[in-house]
């Protein structure tokens, strides 16, 4: 069943939404204020614990190792068949040996976390709902349209065709490097640009495999020039006083061609498969590939891919890349919940 916000005849939801939005402090501001209850704009009619998966212990997302696809034709054919089956049956699979160093994955998570943990007054300068701005931050892009707000904040940055200049980024992202306890630490700008390079390379490889799985020339999807609209959206899911009554991200499908997603070892991501919510158990360094709405709708060839419903059950932070319409690369990080 779909989640619905709490309602009654005397409740002025629009006023509460506007009051929350006007603070420009986001969900992190509620946490900093040490709220004891989840505000009603975030609260479900029933506990989300009751909407969890059934017996999912026997079901696992398929793991694919693409290493060797350019060396051995037989290996490539075997991998393409695995991609085809996973995309048809699940719309979702995990990849290992993808070529992105673990240090790069850790840097992007750490960089976005540092932004979201800045003081509220600093972040307020970037708070906006104007999608034409090159860099901005807010809570819930669909705050005024969705039936239920998610417990998350987001920083968005347009990364192509023209990345933002350093002065458009917040101070924590602007410096070339910072020193913390005598250790060299990349800023989120450094981390974002390095991750962008790696994830585009991986996206190119995934589109080759998906094209062949659809019975097409290997260059078919890449010829669509999906790099033309690259966005970075860095979501942050802070600790929640009543996690049983809300979600970080409610049930949804991705409006994209594909999603490339990174989890840490805490987990929290679930996918709907055969009417059961399945926990996607994280593997250190692995990435998740999710078939988005656009690829599913365009699969009018010999093969028909499916897409998957997802939700985020736990609260921490998430970083994700969106290449408009063509590829949606997401890096999911989970931080253990802290008591408020």
């Amino acid at each position: 069943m779909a989640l619905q916000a709490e309602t009654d005849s005397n409740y002025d939801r629009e006023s509460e939404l506007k009051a929350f939005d006007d603070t420009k402090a986001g969900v992190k501001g509620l946490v900093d204020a040490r709220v004891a209850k989840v505000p009603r704009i975030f609260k479900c009619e029933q506990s989300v614990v009751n909407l969890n998966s059934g017996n999912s212990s026997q079901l696992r997302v398929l793991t694919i190792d693409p290493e060797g696809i350019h060396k051995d034709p037989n290996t490539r054919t075997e991998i393409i068949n695995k991609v085809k089956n996973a995309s048809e049956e699940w719309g979702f699979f995990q990849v290992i040996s993808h070529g992105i160093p673990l240090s790069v994955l850790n840097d992007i998570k750490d960089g976005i976390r540092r932004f979201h943990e800045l003081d509220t007054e600093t972040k307020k300068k970037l708070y906006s709902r104007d999608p034409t701005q090159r860099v901005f931050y807010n809570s819930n892009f669909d705050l005024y349209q969705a039936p239920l707000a998610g417990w998350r904040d987001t920083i968005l940055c347009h990364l192509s065709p023209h990345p933002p200049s350093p002065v458009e980024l917040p101070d924590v992202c602007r410096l070339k490097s910072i020193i913390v306890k005598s250790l060299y630490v990349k800023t989120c700008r450094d981390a974002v640009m390095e991750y962008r390079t790696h994830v585009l390379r991986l996206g190119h490889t995934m589109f080759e495999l998906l094209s062949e799985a659809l019975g097409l020339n290997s260059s078919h999807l890449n010829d669509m020039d999906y790099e033309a609209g690259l966005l970075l959206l860095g979501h942050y899911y802070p600790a929640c006083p009543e996690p049983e009554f809300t979600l970080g991200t409610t049930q949804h499908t991705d409006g994209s061609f594909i999603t490339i997603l990174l989890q840490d070892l805490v987990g929290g991501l679930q996918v709907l498969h055969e009417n059961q919510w399945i926990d996607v158990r994280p593997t250190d360094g692995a990435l998740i590939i999710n078939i988005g709405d656009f690829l599913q709708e365009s699969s009018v060839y010999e093969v028909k891919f499916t897409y998957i419903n997802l939700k985020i059950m736990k609260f921490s932070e998430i970083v994700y890349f969106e290449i408009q319409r063509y590829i949606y690369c997401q890096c999911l990080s989970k931080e253990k919940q802290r008591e408020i």
Side-chain angles (χ1 to χ4, degrees):
M1 61 176 291
L3 294 177
Q4 297 293 327
E6 283 192 334
T7 58
D8 64 47
S9 58
N10 298 319
Y11 175 47
D12 187 350
R13 179 175 173 80
E14 288 297 318
S15 294
E16 185 174 345
L17 288 169
K18 188 175 187 307
F20 168 73
D21 202 24
D22 286 347
T23 68
K24 300 183 178 181
V27 172
K28 182 62 161 55
L30 298 175
V31 174
D32 292 342
R34 306 184 73 83
V35 296
K37 299 286 185 180
V38 171
R40 292 184 65 173
I41 59 173
F42 300 96
K43 200 166 186 178
C44 307
E45 288 181 335
Q46 65 184 105
S47 171
V48 298
V49 174
N50 297 328
L51 300 174
N52 247 338
S53 61
N55 181 17
S56 61
S57 61
Q58 303 304 313
L59 294 173
R60 294 286 186 274
V61 173
L62 181 65
T63 297
I64 296 174
D65 183 348
E67 191 172 22
I69 59 170
H70 298 298
K71 298 178 181 178
D72 178 17
N74 292 330
T75 298
R76 185 180 184 91
T77 299
E78 181 182 345
I79 293 170
I80 289 170
N81 287 334
K82 288 181 179 180
V83 168
K84 175 178 177 290
N85 292 336
S87 299
E88 287 181 307
E89 297 173 12
W90 281 77
F92 202 87
F93 55 92
Q94 183 172 248
V95 293
I96 58 175
S97 302
H98 44 66
I100 304 181
L102 186 60
S103 60
V104 173
L105 302 179
N106 290 334
D107 284 343
I108 186 66
K109 291 182 287 187
D110 292 344
I112 295 301
R113 180 188 298 114
R114 284 196 295 273
F115 167 78
H116 283 291
E117 293 180 351
L118 288 170
D119 64 274
T120 299
E121 291 305 311
T122 299
K123 290 187 295 184
K124 277 184 179 181
K125 299 172 184 176
L126 286 176
Y127 198 92
S128 174
R129 295 199 175 275
D130 179 1
T132 65
Q133 288 189 205
R134 291 165 61 86
V135 181
F136 64 93
Y137 138 80
N138 63 33
S139 182
N140 287 262
F141 75 94
D142 57 352
L143 182 68
Y144 293 98
Q145 292 80 39
L148 181 70
W151 193 260
R152 69 180 185 275
D153 298 330
T154 304
I155 181 172
L156 182 147
C157 176
H158 292 265
L159 289 182
S160 73
H162 306 295
S165 65
V167 296
E168 293 178 276
L169 295 166
D171 288 343
V172 72
C173 300
R174 189 180 302 169
L175 302 176
K176 186 172 180 58
S177 63
I178 57 176
I179 301 297
V180 178
K181 295 181 179 179
S182 299
L183 296 176
Y184 175 80
V185 180
K186 293 180 181 178
T187 65
C188 62
R189 185 175 195 273
D190 294 325
V192 163
M193 301 314 292
E194 185 173 6
Y195 186 61
R196 173 185 182 273
T197 299
H198 284 282
V199 88
L200 286 176
R201 187 179 300 124
L202 176 60
H204 189 278
T205 298
M206 289 297 105
F207 272 11
E208 279 190 2
L209 298 177
L210 289 165
S211 292
E212 293 186 45
L214 286 166
L216 305 169
N217 185 284
S218 63
S219 65
H220 183 88
L221 292 175
N222 282 311
D223 287 344
M224 293 181 174
D225 192 25
Y226 61 84
E227 297 179 28
L230 175 62
L231 304 177
L232 161 67
L233 292 89
H235 294 312
Y236 183 77
Y237 300 82
C240 180
E242 296 180 301
E244 69 274 21
F245 289 116
T246 191
L247 291 170
T249 299
T250 55
Q251 178 177 338
H252 69 285
T253 59
D254 287 343
S256 59
F257 263 52
I258 65 171
T259 298
I260 300 177
L261 179 148
L262 167 69
Q263 293 194 90
D264 72 7
L265 299 181
V266 177
L269 175 67
Q270 292 187 335
V271 298
L272 187 63
H273 179 68
E274 297 179 348
N275 295 316
Q276 294 186 69
W277 283 107
I278 310 301
D279 291 318
V280 182
R281 300 184 180 182
T283 300
D284 194 21
L287 293 164
I288 298 292
I289 307 297
N290 176 31
I291 303 300
D293 297 344
F294 285 109
L295 183 54
Q296 191 275 339
E297 291 298 329
S298 67
S299 299
V300 292
Y301 311 104
E302 177 184 347
V303 177
K304 188 70 173 178
F305 288 165
T306 188
Y307 57 83
I308 195 81
N309 278 278
L310 310 99
K311 63 183 179 181
I312 306 296
M313 292 294 296
K314 296 182 181 179
F315 305 98
S316 54
E317 74 275 356
I318 181 172
V319 177
Y320 70 158
F321 283 89
E322 177 179 352
I323 304 176
Q324 294 174 349
R325 292 181 59 88
Y326 302 121
I327 184 171
Y328 178 94
C329 305
Q330 177 167 290
C331 166
L332 174 62
S333 165
K334 298 286 179 190
E335 183 181 66
K336 291 183 178 179
Q337 294 185 42
R338 305 179 301 273
E339 292 188 2
I340 296 181

